[in-house]
Amino acid sequence: MSTLPEETADIPAVAAASQRPGPRRRLHPAWIVAAVAFLALVGAAGFRAAPGVLMVPLQQEFGWSTTVLSAAVSINLVLFGLTAPFAAALMERFGIRAVTATALVLIGAGSALTVLVNQSWQILLTWGLLIGLGTGSMALVFAATIANNWFAKSRGLVIGILTAGSAAGQLVFLPFIALLAQDPGWRQASLLIAAGALAVVPLVLKFLRNSPADAGVLPYGADELAAEVQDGSTNAPGDGRRSNAAVRAVQVLKRASRVRTFWALAAGFAICGATTNGLIGTHFIPSAHDHGMPETTAAGLLAVVGIFDIIGTIASGWLTDRFNPRVLLAVYYQFRGIGLLVLPLLLNVEVQPSIIVFVVIYGLDWVATVPPTAAICRETFGADGSVVFGWVFAAHQLGAAAAAIAAGALRDATGHYTYAWLGAAAMCTIAAVISATIRRNHSSREAEPAAA
């Protein structure tokens, strides 16, 4: 009968003590933390639905070009991405609860202050700086951190559920934002987003524990999967990582940059961001409006994307726990490319069955890429996996920012979005090839010299 090696000493003593006989828990605290994290992601997701809906009303009131408003979205997306790896390190340094609460306050403040803007530079400050920093700290890295710290099994499923929180936020907010933007106006829609973000703060402060040690337990499933503890893949805040958050994030990037898998994931995720947040999320409603479709109708279609995003992301998490994540990524990207290729033919004044098929398929595929990408990060980089995923997610948002402003410039130059959709379809094929060629057998060994 084998025994666990010395690495198990990293488990906090209070968690080990929790294994002693005592009252049987009906619900592991990890699931309470996951539920609050889900609500926090819902509250933070309100702005993700806003730019596409509010772009036309702002243009009509202030006369700003699509390029100017796309620039504000691009600043937001860049900060959204570049904040993510530092947020992961900050969560290790100061705790998940403090970082999450601060992020939600920034989102609420940025959205509320938007009602006061009357010049273009001000929308760059609110949409771009404040909300970008807030949403970056509540990025998908947050989901990966919760899953890695609190769960020793079913991590893929948990990441899928938490990632679906962003889709749920889009689903909850988008129809109301569209209605408010029409009557009484876009300012009331901005206040709704602020209220949604701030309403979750009390729940975060009361129920979002920083680590299993705070609750006196092991991560969920750790007692059943001792092998994961043995190889060091289960770690939590409070494991001794108290270095400067910025220094840690940069050190992790230096180690990861020596590994080919990191660059493959970053390239694929940059294309993922370009084809979701950057194009569909920002420009689908304005593009549909160009074809004569009412904004509320287009917003309804985007909400349907949100519905099926929830289903697709949870299903992707389940699949990631069972199948090769590299194959899953290749399939997801290729299906997305096919959808974008035919999109210019589907947009019309009225909703046709073909566009319904598109939004269903695109919704299932929207962020289905997150669970397999996070799984490869964890598999390859171990305890650094969450911060590495933060850098990979930064590439996602840089791709989204570039696509958002490029599509806006193409729209102003040509009067339509066709070239943007076709270019995105080609990029998806590239991402599929890159993902399929990520090596599985050598990835873990690649990371060893880098981590030395």
Side-chain angles (χ1 to χ4, degrees):
M1 183 174 177
S2 63
T3 58
L4 293 179
E6 293 181 355
E7 282 86 346
T8 55
D10 292 336
I11 300 175
V14 64
S18 68
Q19 294 179 308
R20 298 169 184 167
R24 186 175 182 84
R25 294 181 182 272
R26 294 186 176 181
L27 182 66
H28 194 284
W31 293 110
I32 298 174
V33 170
V36 175
F38 181 89
L39 292 175
L41 287 165
V42 170
F47 181 77
R48 301 265 60 84
V53 178
L54 302 185
M55 193 173 288
V56 173
L58 285 166
Q59 287 176 317
Q60 292 173 343
E61 179 168 338
F62 297 108
W64 298 333
S65 68
T66 304
T67 303
V68 167
L69 293 171
S70 297
V73 176
S74 294
I75 292 172
N76 173 280
L77 293 171
V78 168
L79 290 175
F80 188 6
L82 293 181
T83 303
F86 297 98
L90 284 170
M91 288 179 185
E92 291 180 353
R93 177 65 180 86
F94 297 105
I96 297 171
R97 176 165 44 198
V99 174
T100 303
T102 302
L104 289 167
V105 170
L106 282 174
I107 296 168
S111 187
L113 289 173
T114 301
V115 304
L116 304 177
V117 304
N118 52 36
Q119 297 184 36
S120 59
W121 68 266
Q122 294 168 339
I123 202 73
L124 302 181
L125 177 65
T126 55
W127 276 20
L129 181 62
L130 290 178
I131 300 179
L133 291 173
T135 53
S137 300
M138 282 292 299
L140 298 179
V141 175
F142 173 62
T145 301
I146 293 290
N148 289 342
N149 292 344
W150 279 91
F151 293 84
K153 70 173 186 177
S154 302
R155 283 174 174 161
L157 177 62
V158 172
I159 291 176
I161 292 172
L162 294 181
T163 304
S166 294
Q170 180 184 22
L171 172 63
V172 168
F173 286 100
L174 187 54
F176 296 104
I177 293 172
L179 288 173
L180 288 175
Q182 279 198 336
D183 184 22
W186 64 266
R187 290 178 176 81
Q188 286 71 19
S190 296
L191 292 175
L192 172 65
I193 298 167
L198 296 175
V200 189
V201 174
L203 293 175
V204 167
L205 294 176
K206 183 171 178 61
F207 294 109
L208 191 62
R209 303 285 187 93
N210 290 322
S211 72
D214 289 349
V217 298
L218 292 172
Y220 175 76
D223 53 342
E224 302 173 28
L225 298 176
E228 288 199 18
V229 179
Q230 184 175 357
D231 68 20
S233 63
T234 300
N235 67 297
D239 63 354
R241 301 184 186 278
R242 292 301 181 199
S243 60
N244 180 278
V247 171
R248 167 149 165 71
V250 173
Q251 288 174 340
V252 170
L253 175 62
K254 288 177 63 177
R255 292 195 290 269
S257 65
R258 302 170 192 167
V259 182
R260 288 187 293 274
T261 298
F262 169 77
W263 294 108
L265 292 173
F269 232 39
I271 293 172
C272 178
T275 53
T276 52
N277 301 81
L279 284 177
I280 296 293
T282 304
H283 293 289
F284 177 80
I285 294 176
S287 180
H289 183 266
D290 286 346
H291 287 78
M293 184 181 292
E295 292 172 49
T296 51
T297 303
L301 290 174
L302 211 52
V304 173
V305 170
I307 294 173
F308 285 92
D309 183 10
I310 297 172
I311 299 170
T313 307
I314 294 174
S316 178
W318 184 86
L319 291 170
T320 300
D321 287 331
R322 290 160 176 80
F323 299 101
N324 185 347
R326 295 150 186 83
V327 174
L328 294 177
L329 283 176
V331 172
Y332 297 158
Y333 285 130
Q334 193 57 66
F335 268 100
R336 185 181 300 177
I338 293 170
L340 288 167
L341 185 65
V342 300
L343 180 59
L345 306 175
L346 306 181
L347 291 172
N348 207 326
V349 176
E350 298 179 350
V351 176
Q352 304 291 336
S354 56
I355 194 68
I356 297 295
V357 173
F358 169 83
V359 298
V360 168
I361 294 176
Y362 215 85
L364 291 171
D365 192 67
W366 183 265
V367 286
T369 54
V370 172
T373 301
I376 296 171
C377 286
R378 184 175 64 248
E379 170 192 313
T380 306
F381 300 99
D384 287 339
S386 292
V387 180
V388 172
F389 182 69
W391 285 111
V392 173
F393 183 75
H396 181 282
Q397 295 309 107
L398 291 175
I405 195 166
L410 280 172
R411 165 63 179 80
D412 285 339
T414 65
H416 56 77
Y417 286 99
T418 301
Y419 295 134
W421 304 133
L422 297 180
M427 289 192 297
C428 284
T429 298
I430 295 172
V433 173
I434 291 173
S435 300
T437 55
I438 295 175
R439 294 188 297 175
R440 182 173 190 176
N441 295 333
H442 302 280
S443 58
S444 295
R445 291 199 294 271
E446 282 182 319
E448 289 176 2

